[in-house]
Amino acid sequence: MQVTDKGQVTIPKPIREAAGIRPGTEVTFSLEGGKIVLTPVASHVREDRRAALRAAAARVRRSLAPEFRQLSADEIMEFLRGEDSDRLPETDSRHSRDK
């Protein structure tokens, strides 16, 4: 494999896949005993956290009473804070905030 005039090389696909290097992954370089070592930085963790948060939000939304499932997060927060409660759907006594 040759290095380009700009100092670039292509990491072979099997090595990228084995190391978990995807487009957008940050990497660091270091010298260890005369060898150049490329190490991926955990940049994809942010994506994993977002996916986990979306999954958690979906679980919470499914656990809500049916009359609240169509509400946005802001509308739910308004209800919990007691703001503009006249705009929100009627709830039965099991879901009353005055309990």
Side-chain angles (χ1 to χ4, degrees):
M1 180 165 306
Q2 290 187 349
V3 178
T4 69
D5 292 340
K6 293 183 178 184
Q8 298 171 332
V9 295
T10 299
I11 304 167
K13 186 175 182 178
I15 293 174
R16 288 192 318 261
E17 289 175 347
I21 297 173
R22 300 182 288 209
T25 299
E26 279 188 56
V27 296
T28 61
F29 294 90
S30 59
L31 280 173
E32 296 180 11
K35 294 181 181 181
I36 298 171
V37 177
L38 176 132
T39 306
V41 178
S43 64
H44 61 278
V45 169
R46 188 174 298 144
E47 295 172 23
D48 295 342
R49 286 184 183 155
R50 286 183 181 155
L53 286 172
R54 279 193 287 276
R59 283 193 306 272
V60 169
R61 187 160 294 280
R62 284 192 303 272
S63 74
L64 293 173
E67 61 269 18
F68 288 99
R69 288 185 187 156
Q70 77 279 358
L71 298 178
S72 70
D74 288 337
E75 291 170 325
I76 292 170
M77 292 306 297
E78 286 175 8
F79 173 79
L80 293 172
R81 292 180 184 135
E83 302 167 4
D84 292 335
S85 59
D86 56 323
R87 293 183 339 145
L88 299 169
E90 291 295 319
T91 61
D92 62 32
S93 62
R94 292 177 299 161
H95 301 290
S96 173
R97 62 188 158 94
D98 297 329
K99 267 188 141 180

